[in-house]
């Protein structure tokens, strides 16, 4: 808590008149904070501060004591939460004195001027961001408009309410009342027409209604269409959780019977622990506009083929032959006919490809050029973002990834490429161990294997692995292309292509002397470009050699091959 020396100079007497301009609100709040410090909430304090309290309470329509508390909360808005002990320390009085003003604290909470976290039975208060923004910008803090709102605004309100419940800033009963008031105030919305709020006294009915709203919220606001039981825990009290889990697993819950919620599928079978909105629910509760917006957000995760720049790649004869063959196969007209023929013969029609080899040999760039040449977008996978420390989250993230990919495949004329770049972390040998971390790794790999089995598109994984690829993954990659360091001829072509000012003999000399990958040569070319910018002249061949010598440091590791073709 901030403290000023309790000197005579710092005890400012109220002026006779206070500006009524909105941007003076913070000035009046500051005066309340100054005069209230160490005041013990005495009669003398209220007399000295009356003109400032009257101004603020007139603007915000609050009681005297609620106004004083609000001023202290604003002054400490940089704290996560302000507790009763912080207030008593500021006023220099006992906690029990502050506790007598619980009604005034509730007044602030009901007006949504503060939010209250009740974790561990210790109420903590904070000023919401929108309130602080209005104060700092000198705007009036107006009551929020809940009626006749748009569907987007409705889901914004829902997001706020559910997030507050997760933070224990709202009680479950208050969450229920606010959600149902929101529905009642907006009968024009499709979701309000479908969800029955007339029987709030029926426990099972309103629990299911809140549950359905929660599924809609997660789908719209979090792009989450795979909901596990652990997702319910921050929202529902323990006695409700038991009923929800049992009724979902045994499929007697009304939301399942009425086809609003369904099991997620895993390898063709229902997953007893994960659920999602049905197509009926998405259509009738959310509408086409909302679904289009979500699809657009999903599309934004893709690398669009038309934005990929053309780049010359140099390979040895065998690598070039394999890459050209794959490029021809992935041309839309060829790919469609091959998929059809495979399906007619009862075979898997998805294509999983593995690009493996030393770093800098062009694996990732080849995927990009394949996508550009075949008109396919790329959904890149960040393995580090998928893996989670929380039990069940990694598996859920993997399922969501493949679900998002499936949705895009079904909505696209040309199937995109699912790219697992630097996939070493997911392709390694599965472990036989009892450690929970290893079990989670195995569970993640098993899901990927199942998804590869049911793949109806194109998946490409790139890896620097040399000797620990799991056999189950190896079998599921229909095309496996090794990217070796370029031959002498290829290296010479790369040098000439990237540095056109080199003579044939200079390019050949660099290729002979340095066993570099294409990526390493590109590093040297970038250094040359920087040198050119700084000096205004092209670097000499001697300078290029010095760049090569520094690039060669720490790059002498020998790597074994995976051993299959």
């Amino acid at each position: 808590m901030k403290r000023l020396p309790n000197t005579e100079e710092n005890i400012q007497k109220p002026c006779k008149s206070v500006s009524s301009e909105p941007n003076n609100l913070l000035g009046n709040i500051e005066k309340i904070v100054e005069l209230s410090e160490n005041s013990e909430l005495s009669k003398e304090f209220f007399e000295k501060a009356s003109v400032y309290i009257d101004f603020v309470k007139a603007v915000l329509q609050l009681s005297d004591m609620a106004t004083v508390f609000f001023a202290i909360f604003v002054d400490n808005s940089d704290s996560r939460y302000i507790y009763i002990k912080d207030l008593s320390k500021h006023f220099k009085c006992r906690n029990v004195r502050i506790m007598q003003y619980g009604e005034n604290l509730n007044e602030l909470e009901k007006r949504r001027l503060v939010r209250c976290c009740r974790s561990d039975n210790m109420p903590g208060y904070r000023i919401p961001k929108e309130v602080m923004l209005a104060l700092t910008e000198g705007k009036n803090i107006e009551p929020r408009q809940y009626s006749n709102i748009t569907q987007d605004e409705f889901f914004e309100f829902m997001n706020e309410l559910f997030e507050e419940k997760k933070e224990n800033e709202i009680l479950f009963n208050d969450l229920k009342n606010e959600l149902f008031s929101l529905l009642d105030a907006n009968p024009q919305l499709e979701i309000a027409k479908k969800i029955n709020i007339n029987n709030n006294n029926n426990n099972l009915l309103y629990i299911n209604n809140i549950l359905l709203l929660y599924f809609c919220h997660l789908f719209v606001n979090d792009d989450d269409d795979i909901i596990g039981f652990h997702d319910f825990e921050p929202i529902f009290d323990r006695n409700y959780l038991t009923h929800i889990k049992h009724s979902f697993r045994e499929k007697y819950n009304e939301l399942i019977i009425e086809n609003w919620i369904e099991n997620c599928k895993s390898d063709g079978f229902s997953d007893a622990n994960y659920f999602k909105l049905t197509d009926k629910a998405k259509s009738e509760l959310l509408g086409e506009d909302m679904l289009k917006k979500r699809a657009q957000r999903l599309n934004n995760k893709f690398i669009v083929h038309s934005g990929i720049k053309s780049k010359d790649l140099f390979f040895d004869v065998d690598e070039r032959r394999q890459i050209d063959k794959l490029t021809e196969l992935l041309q839309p007209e060829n790919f469609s006919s091959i998929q059809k023929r495979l399906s007619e013969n009862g075979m898997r029609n998805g294509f999983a490809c593995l690009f493996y080899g030393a770093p800098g040999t062009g694996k990732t760039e080849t995927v990009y050029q394949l996508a550009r040449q075949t008109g396919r977008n790329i959904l890149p996978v960040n393995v580090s973002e998928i893996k989670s420390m929380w039990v069940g989250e990694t598996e859920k993230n993997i399922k969501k990834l493949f679900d998002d990919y499936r949705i895009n495949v079904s909505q696209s004329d040309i199937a995109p490429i699912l790219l697992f770049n630097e996939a070493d972390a997911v392709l390694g040998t599965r472990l036989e161990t009892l450690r929970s971390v290893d079990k989670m790794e195995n569970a993640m790999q098993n899901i990927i294997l199942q998804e590869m089995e049911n793949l109806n598109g194109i998946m490409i994984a790139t890896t620097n692995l040399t000797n620990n690829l799991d056999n189950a993954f190896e079998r599921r990659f229909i095309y496996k292309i090794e990217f070796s360091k370029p031959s002498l001829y290829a290296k010479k072509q790369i040098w000439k292509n990237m540095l056109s000012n080199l003579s044939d003999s200079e390019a050949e000399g660099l290729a002979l002397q340095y066993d570099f990958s294409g990526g390493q040569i590109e590093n040297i070319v970038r250094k040359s470009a920087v040198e050119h910018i700084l000096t205004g002249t092209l670097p000499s061949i001697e300078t290029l050699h010095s760049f090569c010598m520094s690039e060669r440091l720490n790059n002498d590791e020998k790597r074994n091959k995976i051993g299959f073709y």
Side-chain angles (χ1 to χ4, degrees):
M1 301 288 289
K2 300 176 183 176
R3 291 186 177 275
L4 293 172
N6 194 12
T7 61
E8 196 169 327
E9 304 90 80
N10 289 320
I11 302 175
Q12 300 184 25
K13 296 181 181 180
C15 57
K16 293 183 180 179
S17 62
V18 180
S19 171
S20 60
E21 292 296 321
N23 61 8
N24 197 42
L25 184 60
L26 283 175
N28 284 271
I29 288 173
E30 182 182 9
K31 292 292 185 182
I32 296 171
V33 174
E34 290 176 359
L35 293 172
S36 65
E37 188 171 17
N38 298 326
S39 69
E40 300 180 0
L41 293 176
S42 64
K43 182 179 179 181
E44 181 183 7
F45 154 66
F46 283 100
E47 289 175 351
K48 287 182 178 181
S50 62
V51 64
Y52 308 117
I53 293 173
D54 288 345
F55 176 85
V56 176
K57 82 173 188 179
V59 173
L60 300 179
Q61 296 297 298
L62 295 171
S63 64
D64 286 4
M65 201 62 224
T67 300
V68 174
F69 285 143
F70 181 73
I72 310 307
F73 291 148
V74 170
D75 190 52
N76 291 273
S77 59
D78 56 342
S79 303
R80 180 70 176 97
Y81 288 110
I82 304 104
Y83 296 93
I84 298 294
K85 65 180 181 180
D86 298 319
L87 293 173
S88 62
K89 186 177 180 181
H90 174 85
F91 295 124
K92 200 178 180 181
C93 63
R94 294 188 178 280
N95 290 350
V96 70
R97 177 77 183 278
I98 305 299
M99 292 167 66
Q100 295 176 45
Y101 297 104
E103 184 177 339
N104 303 106
L105 292 168
N106 290 338
E107 178 185 348
L108 291 172
E109 191 178 358
K110 288 177 182 177
R111 288 283 311 281
R112 300 189 72 83
L113 293 173
V114 302
R115 305 311 295 149
C116 176
C117 175
R118 294 175 173 81
S119 296
D120 301 323
N121 296 318
M122 294 177 60
Y125 298 87
R126 69 171 176 86
I127 301 285
K129 291 179 182 178
E130 64 269 17
V131 174
M132 282 306 302
L133 187 63
L135 286 170
T136 54
E137 292 182 352
K139 297 178 180 177
N140 289 329
I141 303 172
E142 302 288 350
R144 300 184 72 169
Q145 177 64 32
Y146 285 97
S147 59
N148 296 316
I149 59 177
T150 66
Q151 185 171 241
D152 286 343
E153 290 171 328
F154 177 87
F155 276 95
E156 286 175 13
F157 284 139
M158 278 224 299
N159 185 57
E160 185 175 308
L161 289 170
F162 281 119
E163 287 303 310
E164 287 175 356
K165 182 64 181 72
K166 288 181 181 179
E167 294 291 329
N168 290 312
E169 292 184 350
I170 186 172
L171 297 173
F172 182 78
N173 200 51
D174 293 331
L175 171 69
K176 179 197 77 170
N177 291 336
E178 293 220 35
L179 285 172
F180 290 167
S181 296
L182 196 58
L183 288 168
D184 194 40
N186 295 280
Q188 78 282 1
L189 298 178
E190 289 302 317
I191 195 167
K193 295 175 184 177
K194 297 293 182 181
I195 293 183
N196 182 7
I197 63 172
N198 296 322
N199 295 312
N200 289 352
N201 294 326
N202 184 326
N203 279 1
L204 293 182
L205 180 61
Y206 79 67
I207 289 298
N208 279 347
N209 285 338
I210 294 173
L211 198 54
L212 186 55
L213 288 170
Y214 188 50
F215 268 84
C216 293
H217 149 70
L218 291 175
F219 180 78
V220 172
N221 291 318
D222 293 354
D223 284 328
D224 194 347
D225 200 23
I226 303 176
I227 316 302
F229 290 135
H230 61 280
D231 292 308
F232 302 156
E233 292 173 3
I235 305 300
F236 296 93
D237 296 338
R238 186 172 297 177
N239 55 325
Y240 294 136
L241 279 173
T242 302
H243 164 74
I244 292 170
K245 290 179 181 179
H246 192 266
S247 66
F248 269 43
R249 284 188 174 128
E250 299 301 321
K251 299 184 180 179
Y252 64 80
N253 189 286
E254 289 296 322
L255 295 177
I256 294 177
I257 294 171
E258 295 179 6
N259 196 30
W260 295 113
I261 303 294
E262 65 182 353
N263 281 112
C264 293
K265 302 294 182 181
S266 179
D267 198 22
F269 296 96
S270 296
D271 191 322
N273 295 311
Y274 291 93
F275 299 85
K276 61 189 287 189
L277 291 172
T278 62
D279 290 340
K280 167 194 169 183
K282 293 171 185 175
S283 175
E284 295 187 17
L285 298 176
L286 308 178
E288 291 302 317
D289 288 344
M290 186 68 75
L291 294 176
K292 286 179 181 177
K293 289 177 184 177
R294 184 180 183 273
Q296 184 58 47
R297 289 201 303 272
L298 177 59
N299 288 338
N300 291 338
K301 298 178 182 178
F302 283 76
I303 298 169
V304 181
H305 66 88
S306 58
I308 299 173
K309 293 183 179 180
S310 176
K311 187 173 183 179
D312 291 329
L313 298 174
F314 298 90
F315 299 104
D316 293 333
V317 175
D318 188 55
E319 291 171 11
R320 171 56 65 191
R321 177 184 59 78
Q322 293 182 77
I323 292 166
D324 287 346
K325 182 178 180 181
L326 185 57
T327 304
E328 182 181 5
L329 184 155
L330 295 184
Q331 292 297 338
E333 59 277 8
N334 295 335
F335 187 69
S336 296
S337 61
I338 291 170
Q339 276 196 310
K340 183 179 178 182
R341 183 70 62 85
L342 289 172
S343 295
E344 289 173 350
N345 286 278
M347 302 172 71
R348 299 196 309 268
N349 65 6
F351 276 73
C353 309
L354 179 68
F355 292 176
Y356 68 99
T361 49
K363 300 183 294 294
T364 303
E365 188 59 46
T366 299
V367 179
Y368 279 61
Q369 295 306 313
L370 271 172
R372 184 186 64 81
Q373 294 171 27
T374 60
R376 299 182 185 278
N377 298 335
I378 299 173
L379 177 57
V381 179
N382 187 329
V383 175
S384 63
E385 289 181 1
I386 286 175
K387 298 178 78 170
S388 170
M389 64 180 288
W390 303 109
V391 175
E393 279 298 311
T394 298
E395 299 94 305
K396 176 178 174 179
N397 292 340
I398 286 286
K399 289 179 180 179
K400 183 179 185 302
L401 166 71
F402 279 97
D403 275 356
D404 286 347
Y405 179 71
R406 261 192 299 274
I407 289 170
N408 197 276
V409 168
S410 66
Q411 295 177 347
S412 303
D413 293 330
I414 299 176
I417 295 171
L418 180 63
L419 172 59
F420 277 81
N421 203 20
E422 298 181 358
D424 308 47
V426 297
L427 299 181
T429 303
R430 285 168 292 172
L431 303 172
E432 294 183 8
T433 177
L434 296 177
R435 291 197 312 162
S436 59
V437 173
D438 294 331
K439 287 182 178 180
M440 290 169 62
E441 290 285 329
N442 289 348
M444 174 187 68
Q445 291 177 319
N446 288 336
I447 292 171
I448 295 174
L449 287 169
Q450 292 173 1
E451 294 291 352
M452 289 175 69
E453 195 74 22
N454 299 320
L455 186 68
N456 185 30
I458 303 159
M459 170 182 163
I460 300 179
T462 71
T463 178
N464 302 328
L465 280 171
T466 58
N467 54 15
N468 67 330
L469 183 74
D470 192 282
N471 289 335
F473 281 110
E474 179 181 338
R475 289 193 301 272
R476 283 167 173 81
F477 287 114
I478 186 171
Y479 284 95
K480 298 176 275 285
I481 302 176
E482 181 183 11
F483 285 68
S484 304
K485 283 193 174 182
S487 65
L488 176 63
Y489 172 79
K491 284 187 290 185
K492 178 181 176 181
Q493 295 303 112
I494 295 171
W495 280 111
K496 284 288 290 179
N497 180 264
M498 290 189 174
L499 289 175
S500 57
N501 59 303
L502 288 176
S503 67
D504 281 351
S505 60
E506 288 173 333
E508 186 169 354
L510 290 168
L512 275 169
Q513 190 167 346
Y514 304 104
D515 185 23
F516 285 163
S517 67
Q520 290 172 297
I521 295 174
E522 186 172 4
N523 280 344
I524 294 159
V525 172
R526 290 174 64 193
K527 290 178 186 177
S528 302
V530 172
E531 184 79 4
H532 190 185
I533 292 168
L534 291 175
T535 64
T537 59
L538 291 170
S540 64
I541 189 66
E542 290 78 15
T543 302
L544 286 178
H545 277 287
S546 69
F547 290 159
C548 290
M549 292 299 293
S550 62
E551 181 68 25
R552 192 162 59 179
L553 292 176
N554 301 319
N555 283 294
D556 294 329
E557 293 181 8
K558 299 298 182 183
R559 301 174 184 270
N560 298 321
K561 296 181 181 179
I562 290 178
F564 57 86
Y565 299 90

